[in-house]
Amino acid sequence: MIIQRVLKGISNLSETDAKDILKEGILCNWLQKSKKIPVDEVPKRLSDRNAEWHQEHYKDKDPDENGEEFYLHTPFISTTAGSVERQRALSKNLRRPAWEIALKYATADWTANGYLFYCHVFIVGRPAVALQNFSEELRELHVYPRYSRHQVEGEILAKIIIPPAQIEKAEYWSLQEANDAVQNGKLPAPDPLRTLENDLFVKPEMYNNVRDFLS
């Protein structure tokens, strides 16, 4: 098992919203919509088909949900640990840091302000979609070799909920600050007055080694 640090970008949150997430955890859209989900429904939702739809058909109409968009019912949570894109024509690798990918989502594609949530999840180095407590490392081509145009987003797919004990903090980033960071190619130190530390966080180093995201 690997403990993997990841980032989750969420846009259009108030400070109160961000504090609530630190207390309650990051919930999948299915849980947010249903408030309470039947335990016997979880195995049905955690399927290879739904994991692929989450990555490739997120906003498509889902015939399994009466034609509603898939994302409204997804049991998965997208996070990123960054990625490396191989550019064969140029004989080089392009590093895609996790913070840049997460800021894209924190700003709703560079249109809003948002928060970066610093978390950790558990991965096992092989597909384990049916196991709720383990996340899927979709970015790892040796584990998920199928082609995806989203592979360079460095996605680590969490399931149902990222609990408060696995969320270290939340950082507020304005759209202007996010744009400046991308232009400069570096994430500056965040404003401590706009960083929300989580009292419920449990440091993973206490029980295992941790693999960091790409920065």
Side-chain angles (χ1 to χ4, degrees):
M1 183 187 75
I2 299 170
I3 302 177
Q4 174 70 58
R5 293 187 74 221
V6 296
L7 292 176
K8 172 68 176 174
I10 305 179
S11 64
N12 292 302
L13 294 180
S14 67
E15 183 174 322
T16 298
D17 293 334
K19 288 180 177 178
D20 287 343
I21 289 175
L22 294 181
K23 294 177 183 177
E24 300 170 3
I26 299 174
L27 311 182
C28 70
N29 289 350
W30 178 37
L31 183 52
Q32 290 185 52
K33 188 174 187 290
S34 303
K35 303 305 179 184
K36 185 177 181 181
I37 55 179
V39 175
D40 62 351
E41 279 289 316
V42 173
K44 301 174 187 177
R45 300 274 179 169
L46 297 182
S47 65
D48 292 332
R49 182 264 190 191
N50 284 345
E52 182 175 353
W53 267 66
H54 184 94
Q55 188 177 37
E56 305 295 346
H57 306 283
Y58 190 70
K59 293 186 178 180
D60 290 355
K61 296 184 184 299
D62 186 358
D64 289 351
E65 297 294 348
N66 298 315
E68 291 189 318
E69 289 86 351
F70 174 81
Y71 76 90
L72 296 172
H73 305 275
T74 182
F76 300 106
I77 303 164
S78 291
T79 71
T80 181
S83 186
V84 175
E85 180 182 0
R86 175 159 292 178
Q87 299 184 328
R88 294 186 60 186
L90 299 177
S91 298
K92 65 183 292 187
N93 291 339
L94 177 64
R95 189 182 187 92
R96 294 187 175 273
W99 62 263
E100 183 175 330
I101 298 163
L103 278 179
K104 173 186 175 183
Y105 290 94
T107 59
D109 282 328
W110 317 107
T111 62
N113 305 325
Y115 278 85
L116 293 186
F117 290 83
Y118 288 68
C119 314
H120 67 267
V121 296
F122 308 102
I123 56 179
V124 292
R126 61 185 63 187
V129 175
L131 301 179
Q132 178 179 335
N133 293 328
F134 294 109
S135 298
E136 302 303 303
E137 192 171 15
L138 299 185
R139 68 174 184 167
E140 175 51 71
L141 294 177
H142 293 94
V143 177
Y144 283 94
R146 65 175 175 80
Y147 173 78
S148 171
R149 65 187 187 280
H150 302 295
Q151 189 271 335
V152 295
E153 294 182 351
E155 186 162 8
I156 309 291
L157 202 60
K159 302 163 188 173
I160 309 297
I161 180 174
I162 302 176
Q166 292 171 223
I167 308 174
E168 179 183 0
K169 60 183 178 179
E171 293 175 352
Y172 173 83
W173 290 92
S174 70
L175 176 59
Q176 184 61 56
E177 291 167 334
N179 282 325
D180 289 346
V182 172
Q183 290 296 319
N184 295 329
K186 182 179 181 181
L187 190 70
D191 183 345
L193 297 178
R194 294 185 296 172
T195 298
L196 306 175
E197 302 288 346
N198 189 5
D199 294 337
L200 300 177
F201 176 66
V202 178
K203 293 182 179 180
E205 292 86 353
M206 295 173 60
Y207 49 88
N208 206 338
N209 294 325
V210 181
R211 187 170 70 182
D212 208 353
F213 49 71
L214 293 180
S215 59

